[in-house]
Amino acid sequence: MKINNICCIGAGYVGGPTMSVIALKCPDVKVTVVDLNEDRIAAWNDNNLDNLPIYEPGLADIVGEARGRNLFFSTEVDKAIDEADMIFISVNTPTKTYGVGKGMAADLKYIELCARQIARVATTDKIVVEKSTLPVRTAEALQNILHNTGNGVRFDILSNPEFLAEGTAIQDLIDADRVLIGREDTAGGKMAAKALVEIYEQWLPEERILQTNVWSSELSKLTANAFLAQRVSSINAMSELCEVTGADVREVARAIGADSRIGSKFLKASVGFGGSCFQKDILNLVYIAKTYGLSEVANYWEQVIIMNDYQKRRFAEKIVKTLFNTVSGKKIALLGWAFKKDTNDTRESAAIYVADYLINEQAEIVVYDPKVSKQQILADLDALNSRSEEENRSLVTVVSNPLRACDDAHAVSIMTEWDEFVNYDWEHIYENMQKPAFIFDGRGLFENDYLKAIGFESYTVGKGSD
Ligand code: UDX
Ligand code: UDX
């Protein structure tokens, strides 16, 4: 079956870039990305490509090339579903905030709404592709809804989890290590998988396209994120040990990363991992394990989250302790708010929690991030419900000039590893700060000697004193 028309429900960090690359690489396939959020769709359609809702290196060029040719962004969900041969579901699946599984299980209400909408609207056969990260066996629920409420049309369900990381999404899509397709082991399932393979084969070699059963595919996505997050928590656990023993976690990471069995990636000690996936997916995994009565499995993975929460708190505590046990009334500049560089996404960013801790200690926080808006930063703090919105606005200032953020500050704290931070005139920054001038390098960006030579009192995550 040749796919001519694709619809993707959800124009977010996953749906937007993924569909842009499919449209770029398959110029004869019409790709329509739909979303309930009108502002988001308007931003995707903005003539000025700087206003796209998502910042992702390389994305604007691709949208510029494909949009209006075979890539469309729209709020007309029913129409796009009706016209499509293949429908990707790419809506968000946040952690439940109510009821059974609160704080752990994935909230599947948007997924279910999508399934019901597809079932209601579809008048021709469809291949439905789960792109969102879902608990294992979600396809079963989708199948139930589609088959029992549909208009008698045929639905084949595939699982095709997304492995792109934000900040490198375009590269990850264009040169994917692998694409995973989970399908039923039936003639229909194989046919549907073949249609999706033909899309990816437009730019990826056949051997990178893996097929498994649906449950393996769903579980592989959670497993991949759990393993990656575990590496970060493992190196972060070592970072504290390095600090007390005089070791340097960057040297330890280099030493162990050279072992080909371990590998060098994901060994950067940090203020703690953030992002929309790691915490959510591990909590989900823990919840699934608990549901099956596997408490040892659940506890094992939960420790990755516990370690991460500890790392964020430990960093904030370090700032307070170093500033003579009080930050009350002191100006602290936070450089970076995004959960990693090269993205404007702030979901679960460590910066939010560190800022919250410092505000509770009555610090005056000034934030600079090259890609995150003031509105977003304040919204992230408001969402914690730690204090009133007015208080957040009186205690937090967001500036668009990094030097202004640091002027007169008692301390500068590096929260995100943006490349530009390394190139600032740190001597100039030092001159304009209160003395002693403290710097807390939460990303291991600087060689300690460099900052010390300028005059800073510096702390780097995972670096013990000699
Ligand atoms: C993705 C994945 O889909 C999620 O499963 C994964 O675990 C995290 O990343 P992401 O693209 O980052 O989600 O989410 P988001 O940027 O919030 O985009 C989802 C979009 O779906 C939003 O724009 C939202 O408006 C839209 N949506 C949601 C709908 O159009 N319909 C709905 O019913 C619900
Ligand atoms: C992750 C997965 O990598 C991706 O495959 C999946 O599809 C979605 O979840 P993402 O959340 O975009 O991607 O970012 P990632 O690069 O994995 O980083 C997650 C967090 O871990 C960031 O806060 C990052 O700063 C932190 N991290 C990563 C470290 O602290 N140290 C590292 O060595 C690597």
Side-chain angles (χ1 to χ4, degrees):
M1 180 186 177
K2 160 92 176 75
I3 301 297
N4 296 310
N5 199 318
I6 288 178
C7 157
C8 172
I9 309 179
Y13 282 88
V14 169
T18 309
M19 292 304 126
S20 299
V21 168
I22 291 182
L24 179 80
K25 297 292 185 181
C26 308
D28 55 339
V29 178
K30 180 180 175 192
V31 180
T32 308
V33 192
V34 293
D35 202 297
L36 294 176
N37 182 334
E38 290 180 10
D39 293 343
R40 213 166 205 187
I41 291 298
W44 279 110
N45 283 324
D46 201 301
N47 283 333
N48 180 353
L49 292 168
D50 290 337
N51 293 338
L52 294 184
I54 284 166
Y55 172 70
E56 195 60 68
L59 175 64
D61 289 344
I62 296 178
V63 172
E65 185 175 337
R67 195 177 59 188
R69 178 189 74 190
N70 66 325
L71 176 64
F72 302 90
F73 295 92
S74 160
T75 50
E76 290 184 273
V77 185
D78 283 2
K79 180 166 176 273
I81 290 174
D82 189 34
E83 288 174 359
D85 317 309
M86 181 177 268
I87 301 166
F88 286 82
I89 301 184
S90 204
V91 297
N92 41 337
T93 50
T95 304
K96 268 186 93 172
T97 52
Y98 55 90
V100 179
K102 178 178 169 182
M104 289 208 135
D107 191 342
L108 299 179
K109 82 176 164 213
Y110 302 127
I111 298 283
E112 181 171 341
L113 283 173
C114 284
R116 290 187 185 279
Q117 191 167 11
I118 295 168
R120 179 172 52 77
V121 171
T123 51
T124 53
D125 295 352
K126 311 282 179 206
I127 298 172
V128 177
V129 185
E130 298 176 345
K131 201 43 140 167
S132 303
T133 309
L134 297 168
V136 57
R137 296 203 83 91
T138 303
E140 204 168 36
L142 274 184
Q143 197 126 9
N144 255 322
I145 295 171
L146 290 171
H147 289 162
N148 291 318
T149 51
N151 305 325
V153 299
R154 182 188 169 85
F155 293 107
D156 284 296
I157 298 169
L158 299 174
S159 159
N160 176 219
E162 190 51 74
F163 293 103
L164 65 80
E166 289 170 31
T168 52
I170 300 302
Q171 183 60 22
D172 293 344
L173 285 160
I174 289 180
D175 189 25
D177 287 345
R178 53 40 179 116
V179 165
L180 181 57
I181 300 176
R183 46 123 181 89
E184 255 187 82
D185 197 15
T186 57
K190 286 180 185 161
M191 279 263 292
K194 187 162 173 281
L196 186 53
V197 168
E198 280 166 12
I199 299 277
Y200 287 115
E201 267 180 354
Q202 299 301 310
W203 76 94
L204 287 169
E206 198 189 334
E207 62 276 11
R208 291 201 208 162
I209 305 173
L210 314 181
Q211 293 192 37
T212 63
N213 78 31
V214 176
W215 321 128
S216 302
S217 171
E218 289 179 339
L219 191 56
S220 295
K221 173 64 196 260
L222 294 181
T223 309
N225 277 345
F227 270 60
L228 290 168
Q230 182 197 37
R231 276 176 78 97
V232 179
S233 274
S234 298
I235 200 72
N236 281 344
M238 288 304 161
S239 73
E240 188 172 26
L241 202 51
C242 288
E243 287 169 27
V244 295
T245 55
D248 181 338
V249 76
R250 290 173 291 185
E251 292 179 349
V252 172
R254 195 168 78 231
I256 65 164
D259 184 328
S260 61
R261 293 168 303 175
I262 298 174
S264 61
K265 292 179 183 163
F266 265 69
L267 288 179
K268 274 201 205 98
S270 63
V271 273
F273 60 72
S276 67
C277 288
F278 280 3
Q279 174 160 314
K280 166 174 77 71
D281 290 353
I282 293 177
L283 288 173
N284 190 356
L285 194 64
V286 169
Y287 182 73
I288 293 170
K290 280 190 179 156
T291 321
Y292 285 103
L294 312 180
S295 52
E296 286 79 4
V297 177
N299 294 343
Y300 178 79
W301 288 107
E302 192 167 18
Q303 197 59 39
V304 173
I305 301 284
I306 294 171
M307 185 64 225
N308 195 50
D309 287 339
Y310 173 63
Q311 188 76 353
K312 292 184 273 191
R313 196 171 62 245
R314 185 169 88 77
F315 186 79
E317 278 168 3
K318 180 79 187 180
I319 295 179
V320 176
K321 217 164 130 202
T322 310
L323 293 182
F324 315 111
N325 285 317
T326 175
V327 290
S328 178
K330 292 181 180 169
K331 177 175 171 182
I332 300 181
L334 300 188
L335 295 187
W337 191 262
F339 79 99
K340 62 192 268 196
K341 73 172 179 179
D342 291 340
T343 178
N344 61 346
D345 194 352
T346 63
R347 287 177 287 182
E348 293 301 331
S349 179
I352 304 171
Y353 298 95
V354 171
D356 188 57
Y357 185 102
L358 295 174
I359 299 169
N360 282 342
E361 292 291 327
Q362 302 183 337
E364 270 176 45
I365 300 293
V366 182
V367 187
Y368 166 77
D369 187 289
K371 290 289 173 195
V372 181
S373 68
K374 175 178 179 176
Q375 194 189 7
Q376 183 63 49
I377 291 169
L378 293 171
D380 289 337
L381 286 169
D382 292 343
L384 293 179
N385 282 323
S386 299
R387 62 194 73 74
S388 71
E389 297 189 359
E390 291 69 39
E391 281 174 292
N392 279 333
R393 276 144 196 80
S394 75
L395 291 163
V396 180
T397 314
V398 180
V399 294
S400 53
N401 176 338
L403 300 184
R404 246 193 73 206
C406 302
D407 264 359
D408 216 25
H410 287 82
V412 171
S413 182
I414 310 279
M415 307 307 297
T416 311
E417 72 282 24
W418 286 102
D419 291 336
E420 65 172 62
F421 294 167
V422 183
N423 301 322
Y424 291 169
D425 182 346
W426 285 99
E427 289 185 16
H428 175 80
I429 292 175
Y430 174 78
E431 292 303 324
N432 290 315
M433 284 175 65
Q434 300 272 346
K435 306 295 172 329
F438 293 97
I439 183 158
F440 297 88
D441 182 357
R443 295 287 183 166
L445 278 190
F446 298 97
E447 289 310 318
N448 274 37
D449 305 346
Y450 169 72
L451 295 169
K452 283 216 171 92
I454 295 174
F456 283 104
E457 299 280 333
S458 73
Y459 160 79
T460 303
V461 159
K463 172 83 175 76
S465 45
D466 301 326

